[in-house]
Amino acid sequence: MRKPIIVGNWKMNCTIPEAFELVKRLKMMVSEVKGREIVIAPPFTALSSVSHALIGSNMTLAAQNLFWEGKGAFTGEISAEMILDSGCDYVIIGHSERRQFFAETDDSVNRKVKAALAGGLIPIVCVGETLAEREAGETFPVIERQLTNGLNDVRLSSSEDLVIAYEPVWAIGTGRTATPSQAQEVHAYIRGLLKNLLGEAAGDIRVLYGGSVKPENIDELMTEPDIDGALVGGASLKADSFARIVRFKVHGMAKDTEHYL
Ligand code: PEP
């Protein structure tokens, strides 16, 4: 059973006091939620303080990036050990904004994935096509290239050690969401690809959808069989909207179920 997971990517937002305020409100709003994982990814500067604020809560932490080297003369970079030390379980890798603005490639994603796994972190690997690629009918080949290269030589001991986020670039921060069936089609494709690349057990790797997820569309997205959760940007910066996304309902039911406990 794949436990649903909702991840809030705060991007470059929130000073430490702002992060505390957001976490304080979120903790109150989601404290009763069971059967789904709730992860937030504040900026590096707030990780350590937020991790203390999360003690005893049902939320865990992710970093938004890492560098593959362990230590040394790499000014401005952060290692897996440092991220773990800041209280994180997860790390987001290969977000389209990093590919677009910081020249990340499938090869750098691959090095980061290996460093994260070796360092005891769970990578959340982002893949997705641009609008031009979708319109040219290249969605599947793009995803195949990103995953084949990004996961090259990656070995998992459990399907829980990796999360994939399908984030069509045209849907990120644009207000334009993939329809549930568009997302489902790619999620099913990703699941098949993961089995080919990593073995049958990889069919249980969780695949999240990201791209303008909001309280208004989460329920519909989560009814799709291969959508295991969401990577949420803008809507994760408001406690009430993120809490509603975390409390998604499937067919009108809260689906906080014992299956996942
Ligand atoms: C994201 O940052 O991964 C994202 C999907 O952003 P938004 O929800 O704002 O589209």
Side-chain angles (χ1 to χ4, degrees), residues 23-175:
V23 165
K24 191 172 87 185
R25 301 196 58 218
L26 263 179
K27 269 169 59 176
M28 285 184 312
M29 290 179 175
V30 302
S31 64
E32 306 299 310
V33 173
K34 293 196 179 72
R36 46 194 74 177
E37 264 186 78
I38 312 168
V39 182
I40 52 173
F44 284 128
T45 46
L47 286 176
S48 183
S49 325
V50 168
S51 92
H52 288 107
L54 292 185
I55 291 171
S57 80
N58 55 350
M59 290 191 272
T60 55
L61 263 193
Q64 298 175 18
N65 184 26
L66 92 169
F67 189 53
W68 56 79
E69 293 290 348
K71 62 166 72 171
F74 303 104
T75 303
E77 294 296 335
I78 309 278
S79 71
E81 187 184 12
M82 291 165 178
I83 291 170
L84 202 65
D85 193 36
S86 305
C88 293
D89 294 323
Y90 291 90
V91 57
I92 299 172
I93 294 177
H95 191 282
S96 66
E97 287 153 13
R98 297 216 52 88
R99 294 178 191 252
Q100 189 183 345
F101 301 125
F102 303 100
E104 292 212 0
T105 61
D106 295 338
D107 178 56
S108 60
V109 168
N110 183 245
R111 289 167 179 234
K112 290 180 180 200
V113 170
K114 288 176 180 161
L117 289 168
L121 293 164
I122 301 173
I124 301 172
V125 179
C126 302
V127 294
E129 80 287 1
T130 62
L131 186 58
E133 289 164 339
R134 174 162 280 262
E135 287 175 349
E138 287 169 6
T139 299
F140 290 166
V142 167
I143 303 288
E144 182 180 8
R145 189 205 71 223
Q146 290 173 336
L147 279 180
T148 307
N149 296 338
L151 301 179
N152 185 35
D153 267 340
V154 167
R155 305 270 173 273
L156 297 181
S157 30
S158 149
S159 59
E160 289 175 10
D161 292 349
L162 177 68
V163 175
I164 303 295
Y166 167 55
E167 300 209 299
V169 179
W170 47 272
I172 298 178
T174 57

Side-chain angles (χ1 to χ4, degrees), residues 7 9-11 92 95-97 126 165 167-168 171-176 209-214 231-236:
V7 183
N9 175 14
W10 293 9
K11 310 194 186 192
I92 299 172
H95 191 282
S96 66
E97 287 153 13
C126 302
E167 300 209 299
I172 298 178
T174 57
R176 187 174 162 189
Y209 169 76
S212 298
V213 172
K214 326 178 245 275
L231 179 53
V232 186
S236 71

Side-chain angles (χ1 to χ4, degrees), residues 146-223:
Q146 290 173 336
L147 279 180
T148 307
N149 296 338
L151 301 179
N152 185 35
D153 267 340
V154 167
R155 305 270 173 273
L156 297 181
S157 30
S158 149
S159 59
E160 289 175 10
D161 292 349
L162 177 68
V163 175
I164 303 295
Y166 167 55
E167 300 209 299
V169 179
W170 47 272
I172 298 178
T174 57
R176 187 174 162 189
T177 320
T179 63
S181 62
Q182 276 174 323
Q184 166 58 28
E185 186 186 29
V186 182
H187 280 233
Y189 176 74
I190 290 174
R191 201 170 299 291
L193 207 52
L194 289 171
K195 286 191 208 172
N196 290 343
L197 294 171
L198 301 170
E200 197 56 29
D204 283 337
I205 289 172
R206 289 171 297 174
V207 185
L208 314 184
Y209 169 76
S212 298
V213 172
K214 326 178 245 275
E216 295 75 29
N217 57 28
I218 185 69
D219 296 349
E220 226 191 341
L221 286 162
M222 290 303 296
T223 56

